[in-house]
Amino acid sequence: MPGSGSLSHDSGRKGCSASLPLRPRQRRRQGRCTAHRLPLHLYCRDCQAFARFLERPDMLDVAGGTDIFQMLAGRVTLAAGKDAVRCLQFSGKVLRWYTSCCRTPIGNSAGPRFPVVAITHSFMCHDAAPRDTVLGAPLCRIHELSAVGPLPPNAPPPPTFSLFARRVSKLLFWWLRGLGRPNPLFDQHTNAPLSLPRVIAPAERDALAGVPMPARLES
């Protein structure tokens, strides 16, 4: 397939030597990712719409949740295949990235200066063992009110204040140390995204997310 890509992640910290392959769908191994990650489980509607846009039901659990792994943007390297990287935007400043060749989700980012990129589990190779064993169990679930059904029995716990404080402190520390630069998904000179974002209209986003349209009022 044209436009092959590879992604690798280096935590830049001692004691984080374990690694695992990263690869798009229907391709050989494309990179490696070290163990230092912040795993979360999201039930947000935009994540669900993203999976349906890509026709990737394997991204979601039975309640519409997906695992993401927040990683230091400055330690992630896009080694090849930049011509195959695409992104779309549902709302706000969050860009959702995927490969155009096989529509594999890469993850999302909040901008060139935000210190982390969130890589989806679908871009990680964990064939040899259960996902939680290889990638680490999610620390908590977020946006559970947007779940499309009852949460599975093994759903992660809700977030706690201590976890929220830990996450914020890490993001602030990483940002102050400049560990979010360079961001592999943005041009390092202009801060422009590697691909012009495709902006999804609210009606299309709601249709993808399965949100019922409001009934019209009779005049």
Side-chain angles (χ1 to χ4, degrees):
M1 296 180 185
S4 63
S6 63
L7 190 73
S8 62
H9 174 263
D10 176 13
S11 69
R13 293 180 55 181
K14 295 181 179 180
C16 297
S17 59
S19 62
L20 57 104
L22 300 175
R23 68 183 183 192
R25 179 173 55 175
Q26 299 176 350
R27 293 190 180 205
R28 296 180 179 178
R29 182 170 41 189
Q30 297 294 311
R32 300 198 70 83
C33 167
T34 55
H36 184 62
R37 303 179 284 275
L38 183 60
L40 303 170
H41 196 71
L42 303 186
Y43 288 98
C44 69
R45 293 196 183 279
D46 283 356
C47 294
Q48 296 163 14
F50 188 39
R52 294 185 180 111
F53 172 83
L54 297 175
E55 299 179 347
R56 289 297 302 266
D58 59 299
M59 280 183 63
L60 307 174
D61 66 17
V62 295
T66 187
D67 287 343
I68 66 165
F69 299 83
Q70 292 188 334
M71 303 177 181
L72 291 171
R75 298 294 186 265
V76 176
T77 302
L78 193 62
K82 291 184 178 181
D83 59 319
V85 174
R86 299 290 183 271
C87 73
L88 55 84
Q89 186 174 19
F90 290 112
S91 58
K93 297 181 179 180
V94 176
L95 299 178
R96 298 179 184 274
W97 302 87
Y98 64 98
T99 61
S100 61
C101 50
C102 54
R103 301 179 75 81
T104 294
I106 296 173
N108 60 63
S109 63
R113 299 188 183 280
F114 196 68
V116 302
V117 292
I119 306 298
T120 66
H121 68 86
S122 300
F123 198 55
M124 297 179 175
C125 178
H126 50 84
D127 300 333
R131 183 190 309 168
D132 288 355
T133 301
V134 179
L135 304 180
L139 300 176
C140 69
R141 61 180 185 256
I142 302 176
H143 301 302
E144 64 179 281
L145 294 180
S146 296
V148 297
L151 302 187
N154 61 343
T160 62
F161 177 79
S162 60
L163 179 60
F164 176 79
R166 173 188 166 194
R167 179 171 177 262
V168 171
S169 64
K170 279 184 175 292
L171 292 178
L172 180 60
F173 176 74
W174 292 340
W175 180 74
L176 290 174
R177 291 195 60 190
L179 298 179
R181 306 285 290 178
N183 191 308
L185 299 170
F186 295 84
D187 184 276
Q188 302 312 308
H189 301 289
T190 66
N191 287 334
L194 293 184
S195 174
L196 184 66
R198 172 181 172 180
V199 179
I200 303 297
E204 183 180 359
R205 178 259 191 188
D206 289 346
L208 288 167
V211 178
M213 300 296 290
R216 292 185 178 182
L217 296 177
E218 296 295 338
S219 56

